[in-house]
Amino acid sequence: MRVDLFDFELPNERIALRPARPRDAARMLVVPAEGAFGDRTVMDLPDLLEPGDVLVFNDTRVIPAQLEGRRGEAKIGATLHKRIDLRRWQAFVRNAKRLRVGDVATFGGGVTAIAEERLEDGSFVLFFEGDEPVEVLLDRAGTMPLPPYIAGKRPTDEQDREDYQTMFAKEDGAVAAPTAALHFTDRLMAALAERGITTETLTLHVGAGTFLPVKADDTEDHKMHAEFGRLEQDVCDRLNAARAAGNRVISVGTTSLRLLESATGEDKVIRPFAGDTDIFITPGYTFRAIDGLMTNFHLPKSTLFMLVSALMGRERMQDAYAHAIANEYRFYSYGDSSLLLP
């Protein structure tokens, strides 16, 4: 499909620079398969689901993966993208023309890394020197890797270390937050439990590739980035049992959805998964694992807007986003939410 079919005009003032406070006070646009849209709030979620429905969260934890440093006299920046092993990370480098294979980059706090390899997409493999775990080095030298549409408008600060992390964050490895879950709070979780809504978690380490623009003119020519995910057997068993009993599996976020769909066969059985997924979901895709999606509002012509268009229909989502813009919903990572029920 032509990528420009997924374009829309978004006024600059609709981009949220801070999350709603409290988090569960964010607005939520309910998008059914047909009929009127519903203007609600995230705290209304228990009333919009049925007892027995299952919400699936991503428990990845965002690491301070944004680094500023030097190679000799030249300033460079690095955004870690994907872990390769205990000391190596794939990274997108700003001012990359000043960095060559074999060079040593020096970051804050005395952290150094060797540029071991330049990959086809222009990113580098960085080997972090020393004996301390890389996570310790990043805590010392790194900042939270806010999306470019926020970082370009204001500096990252200490508040972002809390704001850009979900309440489920447990497994270190993401360089972008699974933002749909940023809206959840203890009181919302208590209300969901009282309603009889159950929850499960999986792990997908979100990479910086999620923000890369689609440069191809046709979706067939776009190469999707890969991310590491893990889904355990006991979680699969409970999800399969819930669906067999006629209950719905609702993915909280496109990251959870992508891993669930990667782990599910044509027989619609969800199976354990551990490895990379580069699944690219566009209109025409047949969903196997999920019955609904809670997600924030995405960028024009992005792979994520293509995903929600695959779930609900492209024209339906164009109409939903037009409604959201006209009614002053807040967009992107720190913005409002939507509940898509095909």
Side-chain angles (χ1 to χ4, degrees):
M1 296 184 71
R2 293 202 327 272
V3 169
D4 61 10
L5 292 173
F6 301 93
D7 198 9
F8 56 89
E9 291 293 327
L10 181 71
N12 205 42
E13 61 270 20
R14 296 273 60 80
I15 301 173
L17 300 184
R18 298 283 184 185
R21 304 200 189 281
R23 294 187 184 205
D24 54 27
R27 299 172 71 192
M28 184 167 68
L29 180 64
V30 182
V31 182
E34 55 186 24
F37 303 123
D39 296 303
R40 308 293 288 267
T41 70
V42 171
M43 267 308 293
D44 293 329
L45 183 62
D47 297 331
L48 298 167
L49 301 179
E50 298 296 332
D53 285 346
V54 186
L55 292 172
V56 184
F57 297 93
N58 185 357
D59 67 3
T60 190
R61 183 176 180 274
V62 183
I63 60 174
Q66 187 73 48
L67 297 164
E68 298 296 330
R70 290 182 174 275
R71 197 285 295 167
E73 295 300 314
K75 287 185 178 181
I76 61 169
T79 301
L80 304 191
H81 165 46
K82 187 173 182 290
R83 181 194 290 278
I84 297 172
D85 58 30
L86 287 177
R87 304 216 67 82
R88 290 173 176 84
W89 276 80
Q90 184 179 345
F92 296 115
V93 175
R94 191 176 69 253
N95 204 12
K97 65 179 181 294
R98 306 303 294 270
L99 187 66
R100 291 187 289 272
V101 172
D103 286 346
V104 176
T106 302
F107 301 108
V111 175
T112 59
I114 300 170
E116 284 196 336
E117 182 183 359
R118 185 163 190 161
L119 304 177
E120 287 185 8
D121 63 0
S123 65
F124 280 85
V125 174
L126 298 182
F127 175 88
F128 285 87
E129 298 183 297
D131 298 322
E132 294 175 289
V134 174
E135 288 77 12
V136 173
L137 300 179
L138 294 178
D139 276 336
R140 191 159 73 231
T143 58
M144 291 299 272
L146 287 186
Y149 43 75
I150 296 176
K153 294 177 180 293
R154 67 165 179 83
T156 303
D157 56 31
E158 278 302 307
Q159 186 62 47
D160 291 307
R161 286 200 175 233
E162 178 181 342
D163 287 346
Y164 201 54
Q165 204 78 268
T166 76
M167 66 178 294
F168 310 97
K170 183 175 69 172
E171 301 289 338
D172 280 341
V175 299
T179 55
L182 289 177
H183 303 293
F184 285 78
T185 61
D186 288 335
R187 71 169 180 170
L188 176 54
M189 295 300 290
L192 288 164
E194 185 176 354
R195 173 72 169 154
I197 312 301
T198 60
T199 62
E200 298 288 350
T201 59
L202 49 72
T203 304
L204 184 80
H205 291 318
V206 192
T210 191
F211 302 120
L212 290 178
V214 178
K215 295 180 179 179
D217 293 327
D218 194 284
T219 57
E220 292 283 338
D221 300 321
H222 176 67
K223 180 176 173 55
M224 192 71 173
H225 60 282
E227 296 164 320
F228 177 84
R230 185 173 60 249
L231 178 60
E232 302 292 352
Q233 179 70 64
D234 60 330
V235 176
C236 296
D237 292 343
R238 290 190 293 270
L239 292 174
N240 289 325
R243 298 195 87 195
N247 298 313
R248 295 180 298 180
V249 171
I250 310 291
S251 175
V252 179
T254 57
T255 62
S256 297
L257 183 152
R258 292 179 66 241
L259 183 55
L260 286 170
E261 291 295 324
S262 298
T264 304
E266 292 185 7
D267 56 4
K268 297 191 175 182
V269 175
I270 305 170
R271 295 179 174 85
F273 188 99
D276 285 351
T277 176
D278 60 358
I279 188 171
F280 182 23
I281 296 174
T282 58
Y285 177 85
T286 300
F287 288 85
R288 304 168 178 175
I290 62 101
D291 306 290
L293 171 66
M294 183 176 172
T295 186
N296 287 18
F297 294 96
H298 304 295
L299 281 74
K301 297 197 290 188
S302 64
T303 60
L304 300 182
F305 186 64
M306 294 171 192
L307 185 154
V308 297
S309 296
L311 182 64
M312 302 302 299
R314 186 182 63 84
E315 291 183 359
R316 183 66 168 163
M317 288 312 301
Q318 288 281 12
D319 289 345
Y321 273 46
H323 176 96
I325 292 167
N327 288 274
E328 300 186 347
Y329 278 74
R330 303 163 73 245
F331 272 61
Y332 303 163
S333 295
Y334 278 154
D336 294 319
S337 185
S338 64
L339 180 63
L340 312 182
L341 298 172

